[in-house]
Amino acid sequence: MTPAATRRNSQRTAWLIFGPPAFMVAVGWLLQLADDRQNAMQALSLVPVSTTSGPMDLLWPVAVGLAVLVGAGLLVRRLGWRRVMPAIGALWMLLWLAGSAAMVQRHVNRQGLFLQDMTASVTAPLARATARVVTVKFKPASLRSLGGTELVLQVSGLQIPQRLLIDDARAASLKPGDTLALQFAPGRFSGLFVTGWQAAPAADSH
């Protein structure tokens, strides 16, 4: 292989490794810029608490990851790295593109909340409910979220307890048994989002 061909292969490899992650970062930056310019309302995801429990809830992601690594190792050993490399490169790109698409879908899903908030005064008000605090737990910041106070709530009208992460200093003073007044709305495609909350007096808990 000539030096020019080697250089071209190195450039393609570099683009393949760093291009898809850079694209996803750019998509995230553009979506955040669109939110800032639109001054979109805050929307906190209301997520149902899993009804299953046990060791498998924690072990299954590890098991899937190990299975993928073992399968890739066996495939490379049988077919050779040169033959497997195109498939691995395509899978790498698809994973980052899928992540970018998920970010766009999540952004568009929340846009329905912004439109509902604009039209609530001329149509119907956003849904309101009371919720009883079941558990309170501090969650540190991570790569996935800014952290805050994680609440498990029993929301009126919803059978399954809901998990809500609030990045607000006021939430740190909440205790199990407290009552919250929630304002929430469905996303454009799926899910429920809390668009406003406040601690309710004990007399309003009924």
Side-chain angles (χ1 to χ4, degrees), residues 30-107:
L30 290 174
L31 294 178
Q32 184 61 49
L33 181 63
D35 280 342
D36 293 341
R37 288 190 173 184
Q38 193 178 53
N39 193 26
M41 62 189 297
Q42 184 184 28
L44 306 175
S45 298
L46 200 59
V47 183
V49 175
S50 173
T51 56
T52 60
S53 61
M56 285 306 298
D57 287 343
L58 299 177
L59 292 180
W60 77 262
V62 178
V64 172
L66 288 176
V68 171
L69 289 176
V70 171
L74 293 176
L75 196 61
V76 169
R77 184 176 179 180
R78 181 170 184 176
L79 300 179
W81 177 257
R82 189 177 297 275
R83 296 178 63 183
V84 175
M85 183 60 183
I88 294 178
L91 180 61
W92 173 258
M93 292 185 64
L94 287 176
L95 287 175
W96 288 100
L97 290 176
S100 301
M103 292 173 62
V104 173
Q105 190 273 341
R106 187 161 54 245
H107 174 81

Side-chain angles (χ1 to χ4, degrees), residues 139-158:
K139 190 171 184 179
S142 65
L143 294 177
R144 298 182 58 185
S145 72
L146 295 177
T149 303
E150 185 179 70
L151 307 175
V152 173
L153 305 173
Q154 187 64 58
V155 183
S156 61
L158 300 178

